[in-house]
Amino acid sequence: MGTKARLATAVTLSALLTAGTLAATAGAASAAPTDCTVTYGSNWAQSLCTGGAGEHRVSMLQQHFMPGAGGIICQGNWAPVGAVSYTSCANHTIVRVWVDTR
């Protein structure tokens, strides 16, 4: 086996080992928030997650009252489990409200 072939094999094995290690530790290190609830009104939204770990953020999509103006996205703060993420928004038609987690 030549020097180039040995180097290529070593690089490939190193990449596989690194990928395997990252995959094995990612699950334990990134337990996303769970048991999340969303509450909202015509111009505000909030989320609260009570389980897991990490952070969550509430987001609201509204449709502007002027046709063709597009949507309005309002996002709350990233909050830890047990704390509230809150956003205020305009008073337009609500299309969707959701929670992002990380």
Side-chain angles (χ1 to χ4, degrees):
M1 188 185 262
T3 304
K4 285 185 180 180
R6 275 187 252 140
L7 180 61
T9 301
V11 169
T12 301
L13 287 174
S14 176
L16 288 173
L17 265 169
T18 301
T21 302
L22 289 175
T25 58
S30 61
T34 59
D35 302 321
C36 300
T37 57
V38 174
T39 309
Y40 61 93
S42 61
N43 63 349
W44 62 274
Q46 69 181 29
S47 64
L48 174 64
C49 298
T50 57
E55 297 178 307
H56 65 98
R57 173 177 68 183
V58 69
S59 297
M60 175 186 277
L61 172 63
Q62 295 181 331
Q63 178 59 50
H64 196 280
F65 68 88
M66 291 176 46
I72 301 167
I73 294 181
C74 302
Q75 294 182 309
N77 55 300
W78 283 104
V81 170
V84 173
S85 173
Y86 176 85
T87 186
S88 59
C89 212
N91 199 10
H92 297 283
T93 303
I94 298 170
V95 176
R96 183 173 162 226
V97 179
W98 70 96
V99 178
D100 296 310
T101 59
R102 63 179 184 187

